[in-house]
Amino acid sequence: MRTQFIGAIGQNLTMTDPSAPGPWWRDAVIYEIYVRSFADGDGDGLGDLAGIRSRLPALADLGVDAVWLTPFYPSPQADGGYDVADYCDVDPRFGTLDDLDDLVATAHDLGLRVLIDIVPNHTSVEHEWFRAAVAGPGAPERDRYLFRPGRGPEGDEPPNDWRSVFGGPAWTRITEADGSPGPWYLHLFDGSQPDLDWTRDEVREAFDEVLRFWLDRGVDGFRIDVAHGLAKDPAMPDIGGRFARGGVAAEGHPHWDRDEVHDIYRRWRRVIDAYAGDRVFVAEAYLGGAHRLARYLRPDELHTAFNFDLLLAPWDADAFRGAIDDSIEHLAAVGATPTWVLSNHDMVRHLTRYSGGEVGRRRARAAALLLLALPGAAYLYQGEELGLPEVTDLPDAARQDPTFHRTKGREPGRDGCRVPIPWEGDEPSYGFGPTAASWLPQPADWAGLGRREQAEDPTSMLSLYREALRLRRPLPGPDEFAWIDAPSGVLAFGRGDGFSCVVNMGDDPVAWSPPAATPTIALSSAPVDPQGALPAATAVWFES
Ligand code: NOJ
């Protein structure tokens, strides 16, 4: 006997005024390109701008609206480029400024926007400011960083107990040019990434110019690295046991999510608003919930911010529903668009987080349809559309993430989600570049996962993403989100009058029938029988 469970529509939440077209980024799908690992044009095993440019047509074909490039600036690469030595140039290993201009032009020709990463919390120790800062105690550049005397009679203990996100103390002591022991500098990340002092006018002014430099070159916006970290409590108190260790902020924290950061973003908003073309900021801010995130998205601050709640949620219907409700409620309150993300270059790939293997793959397919059905913008991380798993067996000698080294191997770090992606063929580098080289070794069993092979297979992960992106827009009717009653373990919601999404996140099939208002199956993550049960870990899109 069939059970009709998908019934009453819950309270509607109108996300946007449906009659207003709104800027492109309100409902965009943005594809993260981890520059080192997307495509290698010159065969040295490291991804580069020429490689990316040559592969952009594949992303236009996939159907995304924009790409976000991780840092390509001159850098010692101590943290994969998040240690910037010069904010207004391109590292020769990745290409030249001309290559960047060509990439932006090609992207725009293909209808793709380009966001770039900006890293304001810290520079590299190779940045000219820091080099000058350590050259002598009187250097004015020293004031642009957070140097403090050490504690203890000899000053040989760190100024406070703050910890680096990557493990170990957040302070490193310098030796002055004359060989005497000097003060300590703060680095919330690696010792090669000294934090800037954002109370200083010259720091603020310099970054205004960095923004303008790239906006003048035609980029469409910025992803702001560690957007919640720029302001520090000037008293620099010990943290003690007051806050859990880690990257997620909590109110009253001495270096995460402090009120003073908002002035910086108001200032940045004034800079970007001088440019035409719907340029956009997206903040990377790991906070304790969407209510804190909403503060970054007030009308005179940033346009958007990643919402990491889905990415941090286990594969569980209640956890997902809570994250979705929280985000929609708090962001709608400030008129901001929600953004959804399942994976990025800092996290274990979601296929693996969702158990890996066939179960993980099945859940990842369902998650893709859920992600792309939600109101607002979605971020894809390169390779998720290929169903790539985390690479968990990288040899220690190959690992490059400072997290691995700073924790002496206790934490594997993030290299496993950064392995260069496959494009075609059955041997490394699987078309990543013209040679077999890749800066992290690729698994032997990635043959068949390449984009070319998947494009020819209608049952592949790539085909699912491509079809979902094709159907995703325009969504019929006004952009309203409403939960639909469903049994435990199942999420069901409608968008407007003519579209709904139903996801069985449980491990067992559930008796079901299509929502009455949208009876026609448009797409499903696995074969479904409308007369039978909804299989485990399966998502279905319906239309009227
Ligand atoms: C966040 C970036 O996504 C991550 O890769 C980097 O290590 C830290 N910020 C520090 O810049």
Side-chain angles (χ1 to χ4, degrees), residues 292-306:
R292 297 295 298 176
L293 206 55
R295 303 174 77 246
Y296 291 71
L297 306 176
R298 292 174 286 200
D300 60 345
E301 295 193 42
L302 303 174
H303 310 84
T304 64
F306 295 121

Side-chain angles (χ1 to χ4, degrees), residues 280-531:
V280 63
F281 284 119
V282 54
E284 184 221 26
Y286 281 93
L287 305 174
H291 67 291
R292 297 295 298 176
L293 206 55
R295 303 174 77 246
Y296 291 71
L297 306 176
R298 292 174 286 200
D300 60 345
E301 295 193 42
L302 303 174
H303 310 84
T304 64
F306 295 121
N307 170 17
F308 291 119
D309 292 357
L310 271 192
L311 179 150
L312 297 171
W315 179 256
D316 173 83
D318 291 339
F320 268 54
R321 183 168 172 150
I324 292 166
D325 277 341
D326 201 42
S327 180
I328 290 178
E329 180 192 330
H330 288 107
L331 300 190
V334 288
T337 196
T339 61
W340 312 101
V341 49
L342 295 173
S343 278
N344 66 23
H345 66 277
D346 292 328
M347 294 289 168
V348 172
R349 284 186 177 276
H350 62 267
L351 187 147
T352 301
R353 293 200 319 268
Y354 299 158
S355 287
E358 268 316 300
V359 171
R361 186 180 147 74
R362 200 179 163 95
R363 291 175 173 175
R365 288 176 66 87
L369 293 198
L370 172 61
L371 177 86
L372 295 171
L374 289 169
Y379 279 80
L380 308 181
Y381 176 49
Q382 67 179 33
E384 71 173 78
E385 80 283 17
L386 304 175
L388 295 188
E390 183 84 357
V391 180
T392 53
D393 58 356
L394 287 169
D396 287 358
R399 290 194 182 270
Q400 298 199 10
D401 185 354
T403 310
F404 176 77
H405 298 289
R406 289 182 68 89
T407 62
K408 304 200 168 39
R410 281 191 304 280
E411 290 182 28
R414 303 160 294 175
D415 293 310
C417 64
R418 299 174 174 181
V419 173
I421 63 170
W423 290 85
E424 65 234 354
D426 47 23
E427 279 177 24
S429 67
Y430 304 110
F432 167 62
T435 66
S438 67
W439 68 276
L440 286 171
Q442 299 164 300
D445 61 2
W446 275 10
L449 281 181
R451 192 172 306 258
R452 190 177 68 197
E453 291 79 6
Q454 293 204 36
E456 289 155 13
D457 173 3
T459 68
S460 69
M461 189 73 89
L462 180 66
S463 296
L464 179 74
Y465 270 79
R466 199 161 53 173
E467 188 61 2
L469 288 169
R470 190 180 71 76
L471 291 173
R472 184 174 188 266
R473 214 179 347 266
L475 274 177
D479 190 4
E480 280 178 345
F481 174 91
W483 291 110
I484 301 173
D485 287 347
S488 156
V490 175
L491 295 183
F493 56 87
R495 296 271 312 275
D497 298 332
F499 176 85
S500 63
C501 174
V502 179
V503 192
N504 178 5
M505 295 184 72
D507 294 331
D508 299 306
V510 175
W512 76 316
S513 66
T518 52
T520 309
I521 294 178
L523 186 62
S524 63
S525 64
V528 287
D529 173 3
Q531 309 302 320

Side-chain angles (χ1 to χ4, degrees), residues 9-32:
I9 303 247
Q11 185 204 357
N12 282 10
L13 278 164
T14 302
M15 298 305 304
T16 52
D17 173 0
S19 58
W24 65 275
W25 42 260
R26 286 197 78 94
D27 61 357
V29 177
I30 301 165
Y31 183 97
E32 178 187 353

Side-chain angles (χ1 to χ4, degrees), residues 34 68 79 82-83 117 119 122 166 189 193 223 225-226 284 286 344-346 401-402 414 418:
Y34 189 69
W68 147 35
D79 182 24
Y82 285 94
D83 47 324
D117 228 303
V119 188
H122 44 263
F166 293 159
F189 293 88
Q193 295 166 296
R223 176 263 191 196
D225 189 62
V226 203
E284 184 221 26
Y286 281 93
N344 66 23
H345 66 277
D346 292 328
D401 185 354
R414 303 160 294 175
R418 299 174 174 181

Side-chain angles (χ1 to χ4, degrees), residues 37-227:
S37 303
F38 183 73
D40 171 18
D42 61 11
D44 66 355
L46 188 68
D48 51 41
L49 299 184
I52 294 169
R53 179 168 169 243
S54 73
R55 294 294 196 177
L56 285 177
L59 298 185
D61 178 64
L62 176 61
V64 299
D65 302 291
V67 295
W68 147 35
L69 303 178
T70 56
F72 46 73
Y73 313 107
S75 159
Q77 299 290 326
D79 182 24
Y82 285 94
D83 47 324
V84 179
D86 180 350
Y87 289 86
C88 295
D89 205 349
V90 173
D91 192 298
R93 283 168 285 191
F94 298 131
T96 62
L97 277 172
D98 286 343
D99 290 328
L100 194 274
D101 290 341
D102 290 347
L103 189 162
V104 172
T106 301
H108 287 169
D109 286 347
L110 290 164
L112 298 169
R113 316 257 182 167
V114 180
L115 308 188
I116 64 172
D117 228 303
I118 186 156
V119 188
N121 181 65
H122 44 263
T123 71
S124 160
V125 287
E126 297 290 317
H127 191 283
E128 61 176 15
W129 285 1
F130 195 77
R131 284 169 173 272
V134 294
E141 289 83 355
R142 202 168 273 194
D143 294 338
R144 297 176 190 170
Y145 294 91
L146 293 157
F147 282 88
R148 295 289 182 275
R151 291 202 282 206
E154 306 297 325
D156 55 2
E157 288 164 33
N160 67 22
D161 67 354
W162 294 3
R163 308 283 297 171
S164 156
V165 173
F166 293 159
W171 296 93
T172 293
R173 191 175 198 184
I174 62 162
T175 302
E176 300 288 11
D178 65 4
S180 61
W184 300 67
Y185 64 88
L186 179 72
H187 51 87
L188 293 183
F189 293 88
D190 189 47
S192 63
Q193 295 166 296
D195 281 43
L196 287 165
D197 182 349
W198 271 90
T199 65
R200 307 291 301 187
D201 280 345
E202 64 266 39
V203 171
R204 293 179 181 226
E205 282 157 15
F207 272 85
D208 291 351
E209 289 313 309
V210 171
L211 295 174
R212 291 193 187 104
F213 178 87
W214 294 107
L215 290 166
D216 287 341
R217 292 196 104 85
V219 306
D220 298 287
F222 301 91
R223 176 263 191 196
I224 306 169
D225 189 62
V226 203

